[in-house]
Amino acid sequence: MTSIKRDDSKQKWEETEFPLVCETCLGDNPYVRMTKENHGKKCKICEIPFTVFAWQAGTRGRLKKVEICRTCARSKNVCQVCIYDLQYGLPVQVRDKILAEEGCKDSVVAVPQSDANRAWMTAQQERDIEQGKAIQSCVPTNSAAAMKLQSMARMEPRYERNLPKLCSFFAKGECNRGMQCPFRHEMPRDRNDPLSKQNTKDRFFGNNDPVAGGMLRRQKEKAEKRRAELKARGGEGDERAVSTLYVRFVDEGKRVAESQIRDKFYSFGEISSVRMHADKGAFVEFTTPQATQHAIASANRSNIAGRKIFVNWARVPKRGAVSAGPQPTPGVAGEGGAIRPIAPPGGFKKNNASLAGFKASSSLGVPRPGGGGLGVPRPGGGVIRRPGAGDTRGVAPKPYYPSADPGRLGGSR
């Protein structure tokens, strides 16, 4: 090794002790046994010899090897095998596109493709590593980009990517190994399938990646479908609530209390109210939209009381919608005991002509609780109260702070 390092042309050859890989590429076997070969092959990006690691990716996985050097992988913050982002598990093309759209163009690292410029950039990065400076690249600099990347993140291990390759003899009908064949006995896909034409350079530089193209296309179709549903319901603009988020419980487990929801989200800002949605989720309302956005970006795909949660913007409730169909007679109970509002004291005015171009609105009846009092909602929402009754609307709750709750001081959890 000393003789190699004495050669000036071999000074930049890379030597490492462990690869930079994701959990999926390591496989489901916690006892991984690797082989190491110094300067085993050239990097497919910078063409510099580097240390090659090989291992079996799981009990039923195939033999995997690193494809690019550690320096190139660190410059893009990707795995040395699958070339996927290590933080969000996304292709480079998807990550860089989202960063550019959300105003984080400075985080997108453009790796030079010429040999001289790439060698200079590699030397600069190695110098920063030796001086203890961390390479801060491909990291979102604002909460909007972080929230969008977090919503598309694919951090769960996908061990199906480690399956053996297809057996060419089985496709020809000539494989005689049977169950002992180390390859998969499946028919190959269509030759025109874009997923069958992938290479390392396109995935690393984010150009013409079929996997990234499919993800971006599905994301676009999902957004168009949501806009079409909103337009069909008669809504316009953004359907998100101003400062309210929705917490959805995924796994089944013990019931989550309101105090646990408040303890999870109070550090992101002032909480106005928390409304539990049975055992499915909860609505958390903050005083500012910035706090809501920060909570979504930080708490999404986390855990509460051992249950996994998904956090996203809550939708604006649709109020005042009137269902089509025959309306019940005023003052007479219809199906389910529903009634229509009766005439006010003094009766209706005879000259109650509506303005030209306007149509009298109808209201839905609701069951009368206990047979007494009026509980009929107006078309725009709210309750019709008796004439002369005082305003009984409650005051908006104050922001909740666990440290200011005297009932919880000194209490054991």
Side-chain angles (χ1 to χ4, degrees):
M1 193 62 60
T2 306
S3 59
I4 293 178
K5 287 299 183 181
R6 285 177 181 175
D7 192 347
D8 294 338
S9 63
K10 300 178 182 179
Q11 288 289 333
K12 56 184 179 180
W13 288 14
E14 186 179 85
E15 296 180 3
T16 54
E17 297 296 331
F18 196 81
L20 190 66
V21 295
C22 60
E23 185 177 356
T24 299
C25 293
L26 285 176
D28 57 350
N29 187 5
Y31 305 100
V32 182
R33 181 176 296 178
M34 293 185 178
T35 61
K36 176 182 176 182
E37 182 182 3
N38 292 327
H39 314 132
K41 64 177 182 180
K42 292 183 179 180
C43 175
K44 293 185 177 181
I45 306 300
C46 62
E47 298 182 356
I48 295 177
F50 68 103
T51 305
V52 178
F53 296 89
W55 67 94
Q56 185 179 3
T59 54
R60 300 179 57 185
R62 67 178 184 272
L63 186 70
K64 283 201 166 187
K65 293 182 179 181
V66 292
E67 302 294 337
I68 62 176
C69 65
R70 188 182 180 93
T71 304
C72 293
R74 291 192 63 177
S75 65
K76 283 279 189 177
N77 193 28
V78 295
C79 172
Q80 286 186 255
V81 182
C82 62
I83 325 296
Y84 279 14
D85 182 72
L86 291 174
Q87 185 175 357
Y88 299 102
L90 298 173
V92 175
Q93 184 175 347
V94 176
R95 182 197 63 190
D96 292 351
K97 182 177 178 62
I98 294 176
L99 290 176
E101 289 178 352
E102 299 297 334
C104 302
K105 293 183 179 181
D106 296 338
S107 300
V108 179
V109 178
V111 179
Q113 300 195 19
S114 63
D115 296 338
N117 293 338
R118 190 165 50 240
W120 180 85
M121 182 178 179
T122 302
Q124 293 292 331
Q125 291 178 348
E126 290 178 351
R127 185 180 298 107
D128 293 341
I129 294 173
E130 292 177 358
Q131 295 177 358
K133 297 179 182 179
I135 301 178
Q136 299 293 338
S137 60
C138 306
V139 178
T141 56
N142 56 42
S143 57
M147 183 182 64
K148 192 169 183 179
L149 288 172
Q150 188 70 24
S151 63
M152 297 180 62
R154 303 166 61 183
M155 296 309 299
E156 294 82 6
R158 297 174 178 264
Y159 297 126
E160 62 272 10
R161 299 201 324 233
N162 301 332
L163 293 176
K165 296 183 178 180
L166 299 179
C167 180
S168 59
F169 290 93
F170 176 80
K172 300 176 184 178
E174 301 176 357
C175 183
N176 55 6
R177 293 186 179 184
M179 297 297 295
Q180 296 181 355
C181 183
F183 299 96
R184 272 190 299 162
H185 283 186
E186 296 180 7
M187 296 303 295
R189 295 181 178 179
D190 185 10
R191 293 184 177 180
N192 298 326
D193 188 2
L195 293 178
S196 61
K197 302 176 182 179
Q198 304 183 46
N199 59 77
T200 304
K201 281 192 174 183
D202 287 347
R203 181 173 293 183
F204 181 83
F205 291 108
N207 300 324
N208 302 323
D209 187 0
V211 179
M215 292 185 63
L216 294 174
R217 183 178 63 256
R218 289 190 297 269
Q219 188 74 8
K220 184 179 180 180
E221 292 176 355
K222 184 178 179 181
E224 291 178 354
K225 183 179 179 181
R226 178 174 294 182
R227 285 195 296 267
E229 292 178 353
L230 178 62
K231 187 177 181 180
R233 293 197 303 265
E236 296 180 358
D238 195 359
E239 62 177 345
R240 300 183 305 180
V242 177
S243 57
T244 306
L245 58 85
Y246 181 71
V247 184
R248 180 166 63 91
F249 306 140
V250 180
D251 303 329
E252 294 183 359
K254 62 180 182 179
R255 191 177 183 86
V256 180
E258 180 180 343
S259 59
Q260 294 174 326
I261 298 291
R262 291 182 179 273
D263 290 347
K264 178 72 175 180
F265 292 95
Y266 88 95
S267 60
F268 302 111
E270 297 181 358
I271 297 177
S272 297
S273 64
V274 175
R275 300 183 298 277
M276 301 299 296
H277 184 204
D279 198 31
K280 301 178 181 179
F283 293 92
V284 182
E285 183 179 359
F286 289 88
T287 56
T288 59
Q290 292 78 9
T292 309
Q293 190 173 13
H294 181 44
I296 293 174
S298 303
N300 189 27
R301 297 177 183 267
S302 60
N303 297 313
I304 292 182
R307 299 182 63 176
K308 188 175 181 179
I309 61 172
F310 286 94
V311 185
N312 206 340
W313 289 94
R315 294 185 179 182
V316 177
K318 302 299 181 294
R319 305 181 61 185
V322 181
S323 60
Q327 299 295 332
T329 307
V332 180
E335 296 182 3
I339 63 171
R340 291 190 63 190
I342 60 177
F348 293 105
K349 295 181 180 180
K350 295 182 179 180
N351 298 328
N352 191 13
S354 58
L355 297 176
F358 290 87
K359 185 179 180 181
S361 61
S362 58
S363 59
L364 287 176
V366 297
R368 178 180 293 180
L374 291 176
V376 183
R378 296 177 181 174
V383 179
I384 299 178
R385 298 176 176 84
R386 295 180 180 178
D391 189 4
T392 58
R393 290 177 295 180
V395 183
K398 297 181 179 180
Y400 174 81
Y401 299 98
S403 58
D405 188 355
R408 301 191 60 187
L409 295 177
S412 59
R413 298 181 59 183

